[in-house]
Amino acid sequence: MEGSFTILSVQNLSVSFGSKQGFHKAVDHISYDLHQGKTLGIVGESGSGKSVSSLAIMRLLPTPPAKVEATGITLNSESESISILGLSDSKIRNIRGRRIAMIFQESMTSLNPIMTVGYQVMEPMMKHLGYRKSQAFTEAVKILEQVRLPNPEQIMGRYPHQLSGGQKQRIMIAMAISCKPDVLIADEPTTALDVTVQRSIIDLLKQLQAEMGMSMIFITHDLGVIAEVADDVAVMYGGKMLEYGTVNEILHHPKHPYTQALLACRPPINIKLRRLPIVADFMHTTPEGELINTGKGIEEMWLELTVIEQNVQPKSNEPILVVQGLTVNYKQGKHIVNAVNNVSVQVKRGEVLGLVGESGCGKTTLGRSIIRLVEPSAGTILFDKNDVASLDGRHLKAMRKRMQIIFQDPYSSLNPKLTVGYAITEPMLVHNLHHNKLGRRAAAVELLNQVGIPASAMQKYPHEFSGGQRQRICIARALAVQPDFIICDESVSALDVSVQAQVLNLLNELKERLSLTYIFISHDMGVVRFMSDHIAVMKQGEIVEYGEADKVFFTPQQEYTKSLIHSILV
């Protein structure tokens, strides 16, 4: 639909948060226009201010501690203009959800766990449109069909915990579009979703926008997503808007080094890199906060880092791990669920096996069963020629020293009541390493140094760190017992692309320096191909394709593998 007028105008918006130390500016004088029927993509890393700016537009920030200032935030229609900042609380509640709606980032925490999802879709229509309960129910079923949820009448009666991540995200979309808003703000609606689910959500939003004539603000950290959805793009960093233009200008002729860094951080499809570029390769910040350009472009950086193909001999012909016929069954009520079905793989010493597939395919269960965090129902697991399945007591404990795991969510896998220093030294104490407390502390400081975290972190708690820093701490904890083999379970899926690149580079550096072997679990084929020597593709508990990474990636044999590759957002 051709954008005929500016439906939302934001002029010189600033947001500050008060604390004992004074005011911290989270958003610093940003301006943009959203045109009717068009999509504005706002892209940047965590902490750049992109979500805060949208919450300010919705008047959802508590004041205090937030202080919102702007020359103007205006919502327009063909007949009137409304100043958002000038509205009373009761009037903004009538606008919010009716004229401007928002899809929040965390579907699990944004949905009410004690209400059915059906009621949560019905509620805005009863509030804003005056629908009776029966009328709202009928409309809600139609909306669930519109967002392509199966058996909508059954889903109406379910609670959030009974739905998958992709289904919960569709419920959030259904709630947001229930009153046919003029402006839809989508805040990271695809983060941490499987690539195939991510693409289906993007396609759904584009279809709904075309059908309903909505204008959309799409917030993300991923320029691959922006390429799919946006007409115009605003790039944010440190609360400031660094670059603003059409999607073609931003993606093909980026002017700011930060934009170039975001474009370069994702693993490229057509070349193999030794390491991924990071933001520091393109720019750095002075102590005064000034951004300095290093002068390097994307192509120049990729050329420097491209792997030169040579006839390199394999690191080892000897597999450190051999899995044969592994099966894991769960009892669910009267039914037996076959989570992993007759899987056989092997990993050579010093190499990386990429395990890829959608949520629910069994890849995490397979990883956990290999190290006996989940008990296998059948099959053999040989680690360095030792039968893992038969170990118990001190022998299992000794094996666990050599086989470690980095979990998907670094926040929930770290005890919030324990300092980082204790979290890292505790495994050393369990396995009697480094003789005494002083020795363990020195070893923990050295590990933090290896993963790029300062020694001062030893006294701090997990909540005092960013997501990328917490993941580095989890890596340090996994290394604390000097393992030979590590399972990386979706260890970068929820991170910003720039932080993801740093963590992937770190894992590769540690692999080479410490002679580690990995199983790298992910739903992102692009990331798996960058990390892996071999790839195993999982679907419904079975390995459906298995081979050398580039062969699987460039000449896939199975339609399912092709769909995973096709879903990569370039």
Side-chain angles (χ1 to χ4, degrees), residues 256-543:
H256 200 281
Y258 179 68
T259 312
Q260 294 173 9
L262 288 182
L263 283 165
C265 282
R266 278 189 67 87
I269 299 299
N270 55 339
I271 54 175
K272 184 90 169 177
L273 302 181
R274 296 191 306 278
R275 73 168 178 85
L276 294 173
I278 59 173
V279 172
D281 290 323
F282 295 86
M283 60 177 235
H284 62 270
T285 309
T286 66
E288 294 76 33
E290 184 184 357
L291 299 179
I292 305 297
N293 186 353
T294 62
K296 291 188 176 180
I298 298 171
E299 289 81 5
E300 181 187 356
M301 184 60 63
W302 276 347
L303 191 61
E304 277 185 24
L305 298 174
T306 300
V307 172
I308 299 170
E309 294 296 334
Q310 296 175 332
N311 292 322
V312 180
Q313 292 299 316
K315 294 167 190 171
S316 169
N317 287 318
E318 179 194 352
I320 192 171
L321 177 75
V322 177
V323 176
Q324 292 182 322
L326 190 67
T327 298
V328 180
N329 296 325
Y330 289 114
K331 195 168 183 181
Q332 198 172 69
K334 295 180 181 179
H335 303 286
I336 299 295
V337 178
N338 197 204
V340 177
N341 185 28
N342 195 29
V343 165
S344 298
V345 293
Q346 65 176 30
V347 191
K348 292 178 181 176
R349 196 180 298 273
E351 292 196 341
V352 180
L353 172 65
L355 194 57
V356 65
E358 297 172 284
S359 292
C361 72
K363 55 189 189 295
T364 292
T365 303
L366 174 60
R368 293 186 179 196
S369 64
I370 287 170
I371 58 174
R372 294 270 305 278
L373 290 180
V374 171
E375 288 298 331
S377 307
T380 59
I381 306 162
L382 298 178
F383 178 71
D384 210 8
K385 300 179 182 175
N386 295 305
D387 184 2
V388 173
S390 67
L391 297 177
D392 58 10
R394 64 187 180 85
H395 296 104
L396 182 60
K397 180 181 172 182
M399 182 278 295
R400 289 239 171 93
K401 178 185 177 298
R402 299 187 62 198
M403 302 174 80
Q404 285 288 300
I405 186 167
I406 302 167
F407 294 100
Q408 180 172 359
D409 182 357
Y411 194 71
S412 62
S413 63
L414 289 168
N415 190 325
K417 295 181 179 180
L418 300 181
T419 63
V420 165
Y422 190 90
I424 295 174
T425 56
E426 185 183 32
M428 301 177 192
L429 181 62
V430 169
H431 290 282
N432 300 311
L433 297 174
H434 306 295
H435 307 299
N436 56 42
K437 190 174 181 179
L438 198 63
R440 287 189 290 274
R441 180 176 173 78
V445 169
E446 174 57 26
L447 283 168
L448 287 173
N449 181 55
Q450 283 188 39
V451 300
I453 298 289
S456 58
M458 290 282 287
Q459 308 307 319
K460 294 182 179 179
Y461 291 86
H463 73 271
E464 298 180 76
F465 298 91
S466 69
Q469 288 172 321
R470 282 196 289 267
Q471 198 60 280
R472 288 169 180 266
I473 290 163
C474 287
I475 292 169
R477 184 178 61 176
L479 295 173
V481 292
Q482 302 162 0
D484 302 307
F485 174 85
I486 299 178
I487 294 172
C488 307
D489 184 9
E490 296 275 15
S491 49
V492 297
S493 63
L495 300 179
D496 294 339
V497 286
S498 55
V499 179
Q500 175 179 283
Q502 293 173 28
V503 173
L504 293 175
N505 289 340
L506 173 64
L507 287 169
N508 274 335
E509 288 165 18
L510 292 169
K511 177 172 73 79
E512 295 300 324
R513 193 189 317 152
L514 304 174
S515 301
L516 297 169
T517 305
Y518 295 148
I519 286 182
F520 188 87
I521 298 172
S522 178
H523 60 256
D524 188 331
M525 253 316 223
V527 170
V528 167
R529 183 229 168 190
F530 169 73
M531 287 294 294
S532 306
D533 299 288
H534 291 80
I535 292 176
V537 181
M538 267 192 99
K539 181 184 180 185
Q540 296 177 348
E542 298 181 349
I543 302 291

Side-chain angles (χ1 to χ4, degrees), residues 125-181:
M125 293 184 280
M126 292 189 286
K127 158 84 172 114
H128 291 294
L129 306 180
Y131 284 6
R132 297 185 307 277
K133 196 170 183 180
S134 59
Q135 189 181 6
F137 183 91
T138 303
E139 286 300 313
V141 170
K142 290 179 184 175
I143 293 167
L144 295 193
E145 287 176 350
Q146 203 174 1
V147 299
R148 300 203 283 274
L149 279 165
N151 305 313
E153 292 197 8
Q154 289 180 23
I155 283 181
M156 287 285 289
R158 291 182 186 168
Y159 292 86
H161 72 274
Q162 295 174 302
L163 304 180
S164 71
Q167 287 175 324
K168 285 195 283 278
Q169 199 62 279
R170 288 169 190 269
I171 293 293
M172 292 291 298
I173 294 169
M175 290 168 63
I177 67 167
S178 60
C179 296
K180 297 182 172 59

Side-chain angles (χ1 to χ4, degrees), residues 9-14 29-31 68-74 83 85:
S9 180
V10 176
Q11 300 298 320
N12 294 314
L13 172 65
S14 293
H29 292 92
I30 70 166
S31 301
V68 179
E69 301 172 292
T71 305
I73 302 174
T74 310
S83 173
L85 290 180

